[in-house]
Amino acid sequence: SKTLMVCDAVLAVTDEPPAILSEVPEHRKALLFHAREDPFEVVADSAEARRKGWRRIVLLFNFFIPGATTADVGLAPLKRLGRFSFCWG
C-alpha cells in the first residue's frame, strides 16, 4: 500500500561505527566485546566483527537510555528517503 506508519520513532544509524571507535584501542575492544556470541568467545578483530558490535551497542543503549539520542523528529528525515509519497491515495 506504500504506507509508512510511525507509532513511536524511526531512528537511522550508520552501518559503520564512528571512526573514533575503530581508531582508539579501548573502543575497539568494546566493539569486539559486544560482538561475542557467548561470554567465553574470543572475537578476532575484523571489520565485520566491529560492525556487529556497533549494531549491538546501538540496540542496547537505545533500549536502556532512549533519551540520550538527539534526533530530527520532524518530516525532514522522511523527505530525504525520497521513495515514499506523502499522501493518502
Side-chain angles (χ1 to χ4, degrees):
S1 72
K2 297 182 181 180
T3 303
L4 174 66
M5 178 186 265
V6 179
C7 298
D8 193 354
V10 175
L11 180 66
V13 178
T14 61
D15 289 332
E16 297 295 324
I20 192 170
L21 295 182
S22 296
E23 294 168 356
V24 179
E26 292 84 15
H27 297 159
R28 227 179 1 253
K29 287 180 186 178
L31 290 173
L32 299 176
F33 175 85
H34 287 284
R36 300 175 307 157
E37 292 296 328
D38 66 69
F40 302 108
E41 181 181 6
V42 177
V43 178
D45 190 1
S46 68
E48 182 55 38
R50 291 178 192 182
R51 282 190 292 271
K52 184 178 183 180
W54 171 240
R55 288 190 301 265
R56 289 181 174 183
I57 288 170
V58 168
L59 285 173
L60 175 73
F61 286 98
N62 279 328
F63 181 79
F64 286 108
I65 313 170
T69 303
T70 302
D72 181 357
V73 295
L75 289 177
L78 295 176
K79 289 179 181 175
R80 283 193 297 267
L81 292 175
R83 57 186 170 174
F84 296 101
S85 60
F86 297 101
C87 61
W88 291 104

